[in-house]
Structures are given as structure tokens and as C-alpha cells.
């Protein structure tokens, strides 16, 4: 919990659409409203999921892009003009927002389900533990627990 790690992603020869998708996949959305099948709306940021317990919301990770270096290779090898743009802080935020706005307005089934899976609900106070073997066999309430969904989507 509350661990911080840094990493670097290097990419080459991405077309504009591929770069937009990469930036969206890394930055995700900070404020979405998701409607689940029971018509309950939940609002929050999207977060990547790592490790075990992902379907239950565990392992939620926030990736923050702190710097983006773009190199125009055609310019780099054909002129003496600087071909590198380094984006940080406000310039970076504007660049990411401009390149990812198409994904944020996408209401397709694929994007809707992705948002449901990646939504991070900070007000969820559930505690998680793997059920004991007896829980699977308990049919006293007329319910077969082995077929009980652990999280609604």
C-alpha cells in the first residue's frame, strides 16, 4: 500500500493514433461515472490493476506520466533544427488531454466495460479474504455459494 516506483517506457516509430492509445492506456481517466447492471452509478478515477485480487478492486495502481520526450526522426536526420520536444508539467497535461480526448468521449461497449473494470472506488470499505472451504458447501440459505459473484459488473 502506498508504494511508489518509477519506470521508463521507450517507443519508436509510433503513428499518431498509436501514440494517442499508448498515452490513454497509461494516463487513464481521472473522473468517470459508471452505471452498473443494477442501475447504481459510481464515480471515480480509473486505475490499473496489478497482482492478485484484481476482480475485487485490489492491486489498484495510479500511473502518473511526469515527462514525455518526442523526437521527430525525419527532422532529426534531415536538418540541423532541434527535433526533440520535452514536455513536463502544464505542457504535458495539455498534450495528454489533447491526444486522449477521443477515447474519453468513446461510449462504445468495449470502453464502457473497460471503465467498469478499471474504476477505483475509494469509498469502498470492503475487506477481502478468501472464503473458507465451508463457505462453498454452505447451502443453509438455499444459495449455492460456489456460484456467488464476488463483485458486480
Amino acid at each position: 500500500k502506498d508504494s511508489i516506483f518509477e519506470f521508463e517506457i521507450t517507443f519508436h516509430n509510433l503513428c499518431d493514433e498509436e501514440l494517442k492509445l499508448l498515452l490513454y492506456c497509461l494516463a487513464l481517466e481521472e473522473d468517470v461515472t459508471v452505471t452498473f447492471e443494477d442501475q447504481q452509478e459510481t464515480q471515480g478515477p480509473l486505475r490499473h490493476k496489478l497482482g492478485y485480487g484484481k476482480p475485487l478492486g485490489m492491486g489498484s495502481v495510479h500511473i502518473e506520466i511526469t515527462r514525455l520526450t518526442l523526437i521527430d526522426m525525419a527532422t532529426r536526420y534531415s536538418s540541423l533544427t532541434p527535433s526533440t520536444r520535452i514536455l513536463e508539467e502544464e505542457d504535458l497535461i495539455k498534450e495528454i488531454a489533447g491526444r486522449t480526448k477521443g477515447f474519453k468521449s468513446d461510449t462504445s461497449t468495449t470502453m464502457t466495460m473497460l471503465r467498469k473494470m478499471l474504476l477505483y472506488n475509494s469509498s469502498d470499505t470492503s475487506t477481502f479474504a478468501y472464503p473458507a472451504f465451508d463457505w462453498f458447501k454452505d447451502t443453509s440459505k438455499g444459495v449455492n455459494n460456489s456460484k456467488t459473484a464476488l463483485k458486480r459488473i
Side-chain angles (χ1 to χ4, degrees), residues 21-35:
L21 183 57
L22 176 62
L23 290 174
Y24 177 79
C25 289
L26 291 172
L28 294 175
E29 295 175 62
E30 283 302 310
D31 187 27
V32 297
T33 301
V34 173
T35 304

Side-chain angles (χ1 to χ4, degrees), residues 24-66:
Y24 177 79
C25 289
L26 291 172
L28 294 175
E29 295 175 62
E30 283 302 310
D31 187 27
V32 297
T33 301
V34 173
T35 304
F36 290 95
E37 273 52 26
D38 60 4
Q39 302 307 311
Q40 179 181 350
E41 284 191 350
T42 304
Q43 187 174 358
L46 301 183
R47 295 292 182 250
H48 295 87
K49 310 298 182 198
L50 300 176
Y52 292 108
K54 293 182 293 288
L56 303 175
M58 297 168 63
S60 295
V61 177
H62 177 224
I63 294 177
E64 179 182 354
I65 302 172
T66 57

Side-chain angles (χ1 to χ4, degrees), residues 75-131:
T75 304
R76 181 177 191 175
Y77 294 112
S78 64
S79 83
L80 298 174
T81 323
S83 61
T84 302
R85 283 178 53 211
I86 298 173
L87 302 164
E88 295 176 305
E89 299 174 359
E90 281 301 312
D91 291 335
L92 176 62
I93 292 167
K94 288 177 188 173
E95 184 78 17
I96 292 171
R99 290 183 182 262
T100 61
K101 65 182 171 191
F103 295 105
K104 293 178 180 181
S105 61
D106 186 342
T107 58
S108 67
T109 302
T110 301
M111 291 301 288
T112 300
M113 293 306 287
L114 178 71
R115 289 181 182 106
K116 287 180 181 182
M117 290 188 295
L118 297 182
L119 182 71
Y120 176 70
N121 183 356
S122 61
S123 63
D124 186 352
T125 58
S126 302
T127 55
F128 298 101
Y130 287 101

